[in-house]
Amino acid sequence: MPSATRVSLAEYKNTDYEPDCDYVDGVLEERYVGKKRHSKTQIRLAQWLASREADHHHVVLISQRVQVSPTRVRVPDICLVVPDDHDEIAQTPPVVWIEILSPEDSWSRVQTKLQDCQSFGVRNVWIIDPYANQAWVATLDSAAAPATNGRLRCAELRLDVPLAEILPKAPKV
């Protein structure tokens, strides 16, 4: 899909893209997905979180469209939303927004998404790089900082995710 395709917000909302893409100020923006380590990390983390939904009283969603401003719709790899959010395109900030990096992702692109999330009111953003086995945590009040002690934490939901349980093992060479 060309990254400079222009469409109206209404057309974007009524069209399915495979894979889905972000909508930024009238332009479709590709999301880097489809690589094995990205995919394995996404499914492992989603399963880990979903198995604990009853504990943290939130719903785990994969690739859910979230309208972060009147002219922007972003698609996190995973997000946690309140159970009563029934909008097909989320209109309220997820409690946790999770981005899993692909080799093509640039830090400046990630920072732009992070700014959109924080401006929208997302209280917790996790950024995971399964290729470098690193992760960062950002909150409304703080920039992205490395995850401490190999764990992703969200105090609000009492979540404490060990990276070792969700990151795939490095391939043998």
Side-chain angles (χ1 to χ4, degrees):
M1 167 181 47
S3 59
T5 303
R6 296 191 70 79
V7 299
S8 69
L9 180 59
E11 182 180 346
Y12 171 80
K13 286 182 172 182
N14 291 304
T15 304
D16 292 328
Y17 299 94
E18 193 58 43
D20 207 353
C21 52
D22 289 344
Y23 177 86
V24 180
D25 305 326
V27 176
L28 299 180
E29 208 174 78
E30 285 184 85
R31 294 172 52 245
Y32 298 117
V33 297
K35 299 272 173 57
K36 192 175 282 186
R37 289 179 70 78
H38 178 284
S39 183
K40 283 183 175 182
T41 302
Q42 184 175 20
I43 194 69
R44 286 178 179 183
L45 180 55
Q47 287 174 329
W48 194 99
L49 292 167
S51 71
R52 293 158 177 85
E53 276 185 339
D55 298 337
H56 55 74
H57 308 292
H58 285 76
V59 176
V60 179
L61 299 173
I62 295 175
S63 300
Q64 169 64 50
R65 289 181 178 183
V66 180
Q67 187 161 0
V68 297
S69 78
T71 62
R72 292 186 176 203
V73 178
R74 296 287 191 179
V75 183
D77 290 303
I78 302 171
C79 63
L80 299 177
V81 299
V82 294
D84 60 352
D85 183 353
H86 301 294
D87 293 325
E88 283 301 310
I89 295 177
Q91 303 291 314
T92 55
V95 177
V96 180
W97 182 296
I98 303 164
E99 288 292 324
I100 301 168
L101 304 184
S102 292
E104 299 84 3
D105 280 314
S106 69
W107 193 249
S108 64
R109 185 174 175 157
V110 171
Q111 285 295 111
T112 301
K113 285 185 181 183
L114 177 58
Q115 289 169 355
D116 282 351
C117 290
Q118 290 175 320
S119 295
F120 182 52
V122 178
R123 298 185 299 267
N124 304 280
V125 178
W126 296 350
I127 302 162
I128 303 165
D129 183 344
Y131 300 91
N133 289 333
Q134 295 179 305
W136 299 265
V137 176
T139 65
L140 271 177
D141 304 321
S142 70
T148 55
N149 300 321
R151 303 180 91 76
L152 292 165
R153 291 189 172 98
C154 173
E156 178 179 346
L157 299 180
R158 295 184 309 277
L159 283 174
D160 186 5
V161 182
L163 287 171
E165 288 188 28
I166 59 152
L167 289 173
K169 304 287 184 243
K172 294 183 180 182
V173 232

